[in-house]
């Protein structure tokens, strides 16, 4: 038997004691941080942690409401997106957190709970803000995380009766406050115009007319058919019109991108399903070639991903459904496919008259598929070519059927 008091045993105990002392001396305490450093540390937590800061201690509660903490949050270049979900009951705020892969119910903004703003429809989003439109046609910009809202000055009454084709937001964070623009495109083809609301001035700019840009003779002849509805018999024996009747939540399906030359371009879907591009710098608009013939049955939507305008298309071929993502190449003036849902997933939607409403965020696309028979949300990662069906969202024991979604960065510092 070994002697427990041998030198080797004594050395071992001394070494362990020294290691324990070093461990104690290097223990890190958050209370030892000064205010500035604490704010920087907390600003890097996921936004979902913001709701819990106030219940940790008095100091953290004070930090959560301080202007300098919001300034620290604004220094974070980007945050993983949340998706603001739209369901038939518009007077509630439900989001999908892409980081935690979970559903959250937020407090619905007080301004949107007023009688005059009840059932306001979300129409666009950018940065940390979402734009709603009430029943009077007025726009309300809101930070869904903090609940702060601002109602814009109304547009001219003469414009309210015109057809709106696109409503897009473009935001530029500026530390403590957010600067953004709201662009609306309206009119009847080919007489289109646009107006811009600038948050820096708090007013609408003057109306600007858009002229039609013809690249060749074929484009002119094709565009002449845009306003005329064509009726045909579907495979199921139903009479179908080529004039698209989109879900009310995505009737202004549109995105804004910036060209290589730094020009802002608004893309939207015409009533017949063709993609229209409006260059706000040159004040011209043009139409892209169709992806499918006008008589084909399909559902289509636009998204913006990584600064690119993409088209998501659900169509039926050879007794099966196909959902694919397309990108338009300006150099060769043609479409090319960049992603496709696995056939085993897309076949489920064959023959069910499915409508798709999509939204992009970075390399991700959230697709809301809905019909009278079935409803589902699928998240596509373009970089990894992964397609994942999201878990059902239950409220009061009932699964919610979402019609569409809007992506935004959850930022407590985004002001309206």
């Amino acid at each position: 038997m070994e002697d427990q008091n041998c030198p080797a045993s004594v050395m071992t105990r001394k070494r362990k004691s020294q290691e324990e002392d070093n461990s104690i001396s290097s223990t890190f305490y958050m209370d030892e941080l000064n205010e500035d450093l604490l704010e920087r540390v907390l600003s890097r937590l996921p936004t979902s942690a913001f709701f819990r800061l106030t219940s940790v201690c008095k100091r953290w509660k004070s930090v959560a409401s301080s202007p300098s903490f919001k300034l620290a949050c604004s220094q974070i270049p980007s945050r993983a997106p949340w998706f603001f979900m739209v369901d038939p009951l518009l007077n509630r705020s439900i989001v999908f957190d892409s980081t935690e892969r979970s559903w959250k119910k937020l407090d619905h903004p007080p301004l949107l709970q007023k009688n005059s703003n009840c059932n306001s429809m979300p129409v666009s989003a950018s940065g940390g803000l979402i734009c709603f439109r009430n029943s009077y046609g007025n726009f309300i910009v809101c930070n869904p995380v903090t609940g702060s809202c601002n109602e814009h000055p109304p547009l001219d009454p003469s414009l309210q009766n015109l057809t709106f084709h696109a409503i897009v937001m473009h935001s530029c964070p500026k530390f403590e406050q957010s600067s953004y623009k709201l662009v609306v495109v309206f009119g009847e083809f080919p007489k289109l115009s646009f107006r811009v609301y600038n948050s820096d001035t708090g007013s609408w700019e003057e109306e600007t007319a858009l002229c039609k840009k013809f690249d060749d003779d074929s484009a002119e002849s094709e565009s002449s058919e845009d306003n005329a509805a064509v009726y045909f018999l579907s495979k199921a024996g139903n009479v179908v019109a080529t004039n698209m009747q989109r879900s009310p939540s995505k009737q202004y399906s549109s995105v804004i991108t910036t060209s290589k030359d730094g020009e802002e371009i608004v893309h939207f879907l015409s009533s017949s399903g063709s993609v229209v591009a409006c260059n706000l710098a040159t004040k011209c608009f043009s139409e892209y070639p169709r992806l499918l013939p006008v008589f084909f049955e399909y559902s289509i939507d636009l998204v913006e991903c990584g600064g690119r305008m993409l088209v998501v298309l659900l169509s039926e071929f050879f007794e099966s459904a196909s959902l694919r993502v397309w990108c338009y190449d300006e150099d060769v003036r043609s479409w090319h496919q960049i992603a496709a849902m696995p056939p085993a997933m897309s076949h489920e939607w064959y023959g069910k008259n499915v409508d798709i409403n999509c939204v992009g965020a970075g390399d991700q696309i959230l697709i809301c598929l809905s019909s009278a028979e079935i409803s589902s949300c699928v998240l596509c990662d373009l970089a990894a070519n992964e397609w994942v069906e999201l878990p059902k969202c239950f409220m009061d024991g009932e699964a919610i059927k979402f019609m569409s979604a809007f992506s935004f960065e959850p930022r407590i510092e985004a002001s309206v």
Side-chain angles (χ1 to χ4, degrees), residues 133-334:
R133 193 180 189 206
N134 64 18
S135 57
Y136 301 101
N138 297 333
F139 296 103
I140 301 170
V141 172
C142 162
N143 182 330
V145 178
T146 63
S148 59
C149 292
N150 178 43
E151 186 168 356
H152 289 177
L155 284 166
D156 299 336
S158 59
L159 300 180
Q160 299 290 3
N161 296 325
L162 295 177
T163 301
F164 278 65
H165 300 284
I167 301 174
V168 293
M169 283 186 72
H170 182 61
S171 61
C172 305
K174 290 183 180 178
F175 298 107
E176 291 187 42
Q177 58 183 344
S178 298
S179 174
Y180 65 88
K181 292 191 293 186
L182 182 68
V183 183
V184 294
V185 179
F186 51 87
E188 302 296 335
F189 281 98
K191 297 179 180 180
L192 298 181
S193 300
F194 72 91
R195 290 195 70 175
V196 178
Y197 174 85
N198 192 324
S199 67
D200 289 337
T201 61
S203 61
W204 291 94
E205 297 176 4
E206 292 298 321
E207 179 179 336
T208 304
L210 293 165
C211 62
K212 173 71 177 178
K213 178 182 178 182
F214 296 111
D215 293 316
D216 49 44
D217 295 335
S218 61
E220 182 172 4
S221 61
E222 183 180 346
S223 65
S224 64
E225 299 177 354
D226 272 346
N227 295 326
V230 178
Y231 298 87
F232 62 95
L233 199 64
S234 71
K235 297 175 183 177
N238 301 319
V239 176
V240 179
T242 54
N243 277 36
M244 299 176 65
Q245 298 295 323
R246 297 193 57 79
S247 165
S249 62
K250 292 293 290 228
Q251 59 182 314
Y252 311 114
S253 184
S254 48
V255 298
I256 186 168
T257 60
T258 303
S259 69
K260 298 176 183 177
D261 301 325
E263 299 171 340
E264 293 180 329
I265 302 175
V266 174
H267 307 264
F268 67 88
L269 290 172
S270 71
S271 60
S272 61
S274 62
V275 178
V276 180
C278 304
N279 190 314
L280 304 184
T282 62
K283 302 176 179 58
C284 293
F285 74 93
S286 59
E287 296 177 63
Y288 292 164
R290 291 184 180 276
L291 272 164
L292 290 177
V294 69
F295 299 108
F296 232 93
E297 290 183 76
Y298 59 88
S299 183
I300 185 173
D301 204 0
L302 303 181
V303 298
E304 182 272 326
C305 286
R308 296 184 300 171
M309 184 278 296
L310 305 178
V311 165
V312 184
L313 187 71
L314 176 67
S315 56
E316 296 186 355
F317 295 98
F318 304 113
E319 308 302 320
S320 182
S322 170
L323 194 148
R324 301 171 187 270
V325 182
W326 300 80
C327 180
Y328 188 73
D329 190 329
E330 293 281 359
D331 296 329
V332 297
R333 294 192 56 78
S334 66

Side-chain angles (χ1 to χ4, degrees), residues 35 39 50 53-54 58-70 412:
E35 204 73 10
E39 289 175 351
F50 169 75
L53 288 182
T54 56
K58 289 183 179 180
R59 188 186 182 196
W60 285 26
K61 183 177 181 179
S62 174
V63 166
S65 58
S66 70
S68 54
F69 175 61
K70 292 183 179 180
I412 64 169

Side-chain angles (χ1 to χ4, degrees), residues 349 352-355 369-375 401:
W349 307 100
K352 292 184 171 62
N353 296 322
V354 174
D355 181 40
L369 302 105
S370 58
S371 71
E373 304 176 40
I374 196 167
S375 174
K401 293 184 178 181

